[in-house]
Amino acid sequence: RKRGRAASTVDELGGTASEIVSFIRTDARAVAREQGPSQTQLKSALTSSFEPAWPRVSAEAAASIVSGIARECSSSSAGARRPAGIVVGLRATSRAVKRGEIRVVVAASELQPPLLLAQLAVHAHAAGAHLAVLPSTAAALGQPLGLLRAAVLGLQSRVFDEAHALVRLVLAVPPPQPCWLQCCASRLRERAREAERMPPAVLSEPGGAAE
């Protein structure tokens, strides 16, 4: 026997609604959530002191790079909006930078929190990739690719060589060179050398130390 459709409203239940829903207490009150610090204010308090000062880039230079990305997209084969060799997004670009696949990185200065952009700068500096922080929005970077937002773009070395017109435009932008960036990059290199010197048995044991 085929079962009927389940009722979705009180009116569809039929009968006396007061008898059906009499178990609902009239004195029930919503449980008040504990008041906590505002997430926006907390992020602002944590990142304001750590926000690095990026090199100033003129609006003309930023517009030239965005136009170069648009030309690269328009000249791609089969009318693809995202040509080969362009990595989109902070997470994907960071992974490609760590693997040594990225030649230059283009990022929007509005990326929040600024600590994420600072971390990308550290990894790009350690991998030898050129980072250009443009005074533009993520919407402006994503528009040539047909995306609403694209805060970070990476150009892969296998597709974009140093003689490429778009790469030359990005290389003309001064890279960030603050003291904290050099210190963090040197620390990353030291940790990599320490990991290479450790025997495999030590690396496999969490918290192990060489004797």
Side-chain angles (χ1 to χ4, degrees), residues 33-86:
R33 299 181 59 183
E34 296 182 359
Q35 296 295 329
S38 172
Q39 186 177 5
T40 304
Q41 296 177 359
L42 183 60
K43 284 185 177 180
S44 177
L46 288 177
T47 59
S48 59
S49 301
F50 302 98
E51 183 174 358
W54 305 109
R56 293 186 178 181
V57 181
S58 63
E60 293 78 7
S64 300
I65 294 176
V66 175
S67 300
I69 297 173
R71 287 193 300 269
E72 195 67 27
C73 295
S74 61
S75 61
S76 59
S77 59
R81 299 298 300 271
R82 187 181 304 179
I86 297 183

Side-chain angles (χ1 to χ4, degrees), residues 9 18 32 43 75 89 94 142 184 204:
T9 63
S18 59
K43 284 185 177 180
S75 61
S94 299
C184 292
S204 61

